[in-house]
């Protein structure tokens, strides 16, 4: 059974940093690209960042480019999102998502971790 | 960026009704489109990918169609568990983008 377990969310002041982690199990993690998607309270879904299976390609939404860094450790089956210079607009539930095959479609989602940026 | 426009933003329907949700892409995306269902407090769930391929375990009353710029999600014979919010997503180009969502409510 595929499981994605996010951690690392919490309350942080504007300008602060957080590192999200996503522990994956139930599939060959190193074979799949992974993604972070976020959802602000009461709002729609927003793609944040994606990383290829081999870690050689990364992609970012303009809203987070230069502030967030996606990475992965295939030996630990873990996905990360380093978030710096956080803003109030980054407040959201952050979902770790597995990709279907070679497409950028999301077949398994974690339960999400809430990031709140507030003073 | 490819804009995904969903309509309607909300719909009221009764159990047994047929509901149709549309999604329009601002440029052609072939069949690189997925539909997700999200219930309150839960993560989204993949329903359809490749515009018309049903994800495993999804009931047959869900159907998807379309290609290029215009896509449709149809729920035939709406069931109580189908009351939720539905999102489309294009997987053709980065940045990946979602539609604004359609909330299916009980009439």
């Amino acid at each position: 059974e595929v499981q994605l377990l996010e951690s690392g969310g919490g309350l942080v002041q504007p300008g602060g940093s957080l590192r999200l982690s996503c522990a994956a199990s139930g599939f060959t993690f190193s074979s799949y690209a992974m993604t972070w998607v976020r959802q602000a309270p009461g709002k729609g879904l927003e793609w944040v960042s994606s990383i290829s299976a081999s870690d050689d390609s990364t992609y970012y939404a303009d809203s987070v480019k230069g502030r967030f860094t996606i990475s992965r450790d295939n030996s630990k089956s873990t996905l990360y999102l380093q978030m710096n210079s956080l803003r109030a607009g980054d407040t959201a539930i952050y979902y770790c998502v597995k990709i279907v095959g070679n497409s950028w479609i999301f077949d398994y989602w974690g339960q999400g971790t809430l990031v709140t940026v507030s003073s | 960026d490819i804009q995904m426009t969903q309509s309607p933003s909300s719909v009221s329907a009764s159990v047994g009704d047929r509901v149709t949700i549309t999604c329009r892409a601002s440029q052609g995306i072939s069949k690189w489109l997925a539909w997700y269902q999200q219930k309150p407090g839960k993560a989204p769930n993949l329903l359809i990918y490749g515009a018309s391929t049903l994800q495993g375990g999804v009931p047959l009353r869900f159907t998807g169609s379309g290609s290029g710029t215009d896509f449709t999600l149809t729920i035939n014979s709406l069931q109580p568990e189908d009351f939720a919010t539905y999102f489309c997503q294009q997987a053709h180009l980065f940045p990946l983008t979602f539609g604004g969502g359609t909330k299916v409510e009980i009439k």
Side-chain angles (χ1 to χ4, degrees):
Chain A
E1 178 192 4
V2 171
Q3 290 195 323
L4 300 168
L5 185 61
E6 303 97 335
S7 60
L11 175 64
V12 61
Q13 292 189 338
S17 298
L18 276 178
R19 187 196 199 200
L20 305 184
S21 299
C22 171
S25 61
F27 66 103
T28 305
F29 181 75
S30 59
S31 296
Y32 292 90
M34 297 291 293
T35 289
W36 291 97
V37 173
R38 69 184 180 184
Q39 186 170 36
K43 302 297 184 182
L45 300 169
E46 181 187 13
W47 169 75
V48 174
S49 181
S50 297
I51 186 168
S52 64
S54 58
D55 197 14
D56 58 356
S57 297
T58 57
Y59 309 88
Y60 297 94
D62 284 346
S63 57
V64 307
K65 198 173 295 182
R67 299 187 299 122
F68 290 12
T69 302
I70 191 171
S71 62
R72 63 192 297 159
D73 185 336
N74 286 342
S75 68
K76 296 182 178 178
S77 295
T78 301
L79 177 72
Y80 303 100
L81 186 68
Q82 177 68 43
M83 304 187 296
N84 298 331
S85 303
L86 283 161
R87 307 165 178 166
D90 296 318
T91 295
I93 296 171
Y94 285 74
Y95 294 103
C96 167
V97 189
K98 173 186 168 293
I99 301 298
V100 173
N102 293 321
S103 73
W104 294 104
I105 287 172
F106 315 128
D107 60 350
Y108 287 96
W109 298 62
Q111 86 288 348
T113 187
L114 177 62
V115 172
T116 303
V117 184
S118 175
S119 54
Chain B
D1 297 3
I2 299 176
Q3 309 301 319
M4 304 300 293
T5 304
Q6 253 184 269
S7 61
S9 57
S10 66
V11 57
S12 294
S14 301
V15 172
D17 285 352
R18 172 184 293 175
V19 171
T20 299
I21 300 168
T22 63
C23 185
R24 174 165 288 177
S26 60
Q27 65 185 77
I29 59 171
S30 185
K31 289 198 163 191
W32 293 105
L33 184 102
W35 290 98
Y36 303 88
Q37 176 194 67
Q38 187 178 32
K39 296 182 179 179
K42 300 293 186 181
N45 181 49
L46 176 64
L47 297 176
I48 288 169
Y49 62 94
S52 59
T53 302
L54 210 60
Q55 174 71 341
V58 174
L60 295 176
R61 62 181 179 272
F62 290 92
T63 60
S65 64
S67 67
T69 60
D70 294 311
F71 302 88
T72 299
L73 172 69
T74 300
I75 312 172
N76 293 291
S77 188
L78 199 67
Q79 297 300 299
E81 60 268 31
D82 301 335
F83 292 97
T85 300
Y86 295 82
F87 295 93
C88 61
Q89 177 237 330
Q90 66 82 15
H92 181 55
L93 288 174
F94 285 102
L96 307 175
T97 47
F98 292 89
T102 296
K103 187 172 184 179
V104 178
E105 300 174 299
I106 301 173
K107 181 183 281 186

